[in-house]
Amino acid sequence: MNAPETSGLAAADKRRALQKLERYCYRVCLYLLNEEEPASEAAKQALVQLYREDSLWSLNEGSRADYVRKVCSSHALALWRQTLAKTKGLERKVP
């Protein structure tokens, strides 16, 4: 994962930087979910979260990689839990 060292990025710069992380994020999600469609959805959600986090770019490259992996894993596992709950009929009822 070779993300650029940046801080205080403009929106266009953030998008370009995140495009470089997109494949890595998808691979993490695919590894955990073993299915392309849910992995793609989880990766999209993770990238949106990462886009909104300005603090990401102040981390050194090693810490940034760990953080990106953590965010991607979190979204993949949340989607997995949600899917499991639906298949088991355990989804939460919203009043």
Side-chain angles (χ1 to χ4, degrees):
M1 182 183 92
N2 290 329
E5 292 293 329
T6 55
S7 181
L9 292 176
D13 294 331
K14 277 186 180 181
R15 283 192 300 275
R16 278 192 291 277
L18 285 173
Q19 283 176 335
K20 294 180 181 184
L21 297 174
E22 185 176 7
R23 183 178 297 175
Y24 175 73
C25 188
Y26 174 73
R27 285 189 355 226
V28 169
C29 294
L30 184 61
Y31 176 80
L32 293 171
L33 296 171
N34 266 342
E35 293 183 45
E36 291 181 8
E37 191 173 321
S40 179
E41 182 59 32
K44 285 179 199 174
Q45 293 171 5
L47 289 166
V48 167
Q49 178 181 337
L50 292 168
Y51 178 82
R52 293 179 178 155
E53 294 188 19
D54 290 330
S55 61
L56 172 67
W57 310 111
S58 64
L59 298 172
N60 67 45
E61 189 169 340
S63 296
R64 187 179 311 134
D66 290 342
Y67 185 73
V68 168
R69 184 172 43 256
K70 181 178 173 182
V71 169
C72 295
S73 298
S74 175
H75 282 277
L77 294 175
L79 188 60
W80 176 79
R81 283 189 301 269
Q82 181 183 9
T83 303
L84 182 64
K86 284 181 182 178
T87 60
K88 301 287 184 184
L90 302 173
E91 67 254 8
R92 294 181 181 166
K93 306 285 188 218
V94 178

